[in-house]
Amino acid sequence: MNAGPERQTGRKAQISNITAAKTVADVIRTCLGPKAMLKMILDPMGGILLTNDGNAILREIDVAHPAAKNMIELSRTQDEECGDGTTSVIILAGEILAQSLSQLERDIHPVVIISAYTKALKEALEIVKRISVPIDVNDDAQMLSLIKTSIGTKFVVRWSDLMCNLALQAVRTVASEEGGFKTVDIKRYARVEKVPGGEIEDSKVLNGVMLNKDITHPNMRRRIKDPRIILLDCPLEYKKGESQTNMEFSKESDWARAQEIEEEQVKALCERLLELKPDLIITEKGISDLAQHVFEKNNISCIRRVRKTDNNRIALAVGATIVNRIEDIRESDVGTNCGLFNIEKIGDEYFTFLVECKSPKACTILLRGPSKDILNEIDRNLADAMSVARNVVFNPILVPGAFRFTLAFLPSMHT
């Protein structure tokens, strides 16, 4: 009969925990440094993961030991807080635990060892404060050399100048300050679009937004200079019944009249929008054939079923307000900060570009590359670079040399 998991106590448990942590550290030891090799991992779905990012590798590892799980959690926390140093934090943690093994064998109590580590943490943080140098966030040369330290050991090191510029440009675009509070929301407002094909050198930060969408009617304009843009969060179709709706008609003309009323409802919505003389209408919901016909006749382009997150980015880039009820729309809701609306075919798909925006607060990073797996790795490297740039905006201090890793690592170990 199976007695369930074995319970360990005392020295045996301590050694087991240290061994598990050391094993996790050994797994990704070869991912650290400029000579690090990329790992090819087959994920459970049969896809390929090509990376030397510690967190990305550990995410794919399925472990049962609690101490090993704790180490993987440490890497995830590092990735969320700092964005970089996920491999370093695991190797340092494994090494620090390994150093405590000899102390335990000398029968030194774990509490004493922990208090010594706490003193070492205090001392390390003091040293870090002492040797750190302030950085001018507006100085391109200083910022680029700092970001370069993040991707110097990564796959994109051959294109480090390009990637550093992309990261810095994206972070500066989405950075904002309101009431003395700085916000740099790269996750929400700096979207990375990966398009296989083309060369890595073709990657760029668009001063605006790019969507994987095409216009709804082939006769609509695909290129508009200085467009007036309306953003909607409501359908341009007749309202359907909330629940089951029954309609009884006594004569045939009533059915025709009911359909006319539906058309009149849609036309009324379209006429309300036409009053504002838009060039482009973007909605998160559907647009009926009748509405498309009305807009096409009035030389207005339409894009439908846009994601909520994309619509929010467009609003920040073009200076528009997303409208929920067409009856409430005002002139101030129309976006006029976009310089060019353009639809291009890249590969087999059509992409909408809203670019040349005046002071956009959101942007799209267009990544080009030979294959999907390479692009995913470039995306991960760029995310690390952007996180480093974001951290410097909040705390403009440079710690020379390897202390960069220690600074990122020690608070996580302390908690």
Side-chain angles (χ1 to χ4, degrees), residues 48 50 74 130 142 150 164 214 282 304 320 382:
I48 296 170
L50 186 72
L74 185 64
R130 208 160 54 239
Q142 278 189 20
S150 159
C164 291
D214 193 9
I282 298 173
R304 64 181 165 190
L382 186 64

Side-chain angles (χ1 to χ4, degrees), residues 73-269:
E73 204 57 30
L74 185 64
S75 174
R76 192 178 67 83
T77 307
Q78 176 75 7
D79 191 55
E80 285 175 6
E81 287 297 316
C82 303
D84 193 24
T86 52
T87 309
S88 321
V89 77
I90 294 294
I91 293 168
L92 274 168
E95 206 53 48
I96 284 174
L97 282 169
Q99 292 300 318
S100 64
L101 195 57
S102 58
Q103 312 304 323
L104 287 168
E105 282 166 356
R106 288 169 56 199
D107 281 336
I108 295 175
H109 198 277
V111 173
V112 177
I113 298 172
I114 291 165
S115 67
Y117 279 148
T118 310
K119 281 179 188 166
L121 167 64
K122 271 188 180 169
E123 187 63 30
L125 289 172
E126 282 302 316
I127 293 168
V128 161
K129 274 185 194 162
R130 208 160 54 239
I131 66 168
S132 60
V133 248
I135 271 204
D136 181 7
V137 182
N138 300 315
D139 184 346
D140 283 12
Q142 278 189 20
M143 287 295 282
L144 290 171
S145 64
L146 178 72
I147 299 167
K148 205 171 276 189
T149 62
S150 159
I151 56 177
T153 60
K154 303 275 171 45
F155 171 75
V156 293
V157 68
R158 278 169 55 194
W159 304 274
S160 66
D161 288 343
L162 170 68
M163 291 301 153
C164 291
N165 277 306
L166 293 184
L168 185 57
Q169 213 178 321
V171 166
R172 280 187 177 160
T173 302
V174 300
S176 61
E177 193 167 343
E178 277 181 39
F181 288 103
K182 289 179 185 172
T183 52
V184 187
D185 197 339
I186 48 181
K187 187 176 180 181
R188 199 178 297 167
Y189 300 134
R191 181 171 174 80
V192 176
E193 284 283 356
K194 296 169 284 206
V195 184
E199 297 183 6
I200 293 173
E201 287 86 350
D202 299 338
S203 303
K204 58 188 170 191
V205 174
L206 305 170
N207 55 348
V209 180
M210 172 183 135
L211 312 169
N212 190 352
K213 289 279 173 190
D214 193 9
I215 43 173
T216 57
H217 194 287
N219 291 350
M220 289 174 176
R221 287 184 289 172
R222 286 167 175 265
R223 186 182 176 87
I224 307 169
K225 289 283 281 178
D226 298 320
R228 285 170 60 80
I229 300 170
I230 288 177
L231 302 181
L232 302 174
D233 183 17
C234 53
L236 288 165
E237 300 169 312
Y238 64 88
K239 278 199 178 78
K240 299 176 181 73
E242 290 285 324
S243 53
Q244 239 179 341
T245 310
N246 291 323
M247 292 172 77
E248 286 186 24
F249 300 109
S250 53
K251 52 182 187 286
E252 198 182 327
S253 58
D254 288 353
W255 166 247
R257 179 67 193 128
Q259 287 189 307
E260 275 174 33
I261 290 168
E262 287 177 359
E263 287 186 4
E264 282 165 15
Q265 195 183 354
V266 173
K267 276 180 182 166
L269 293 176

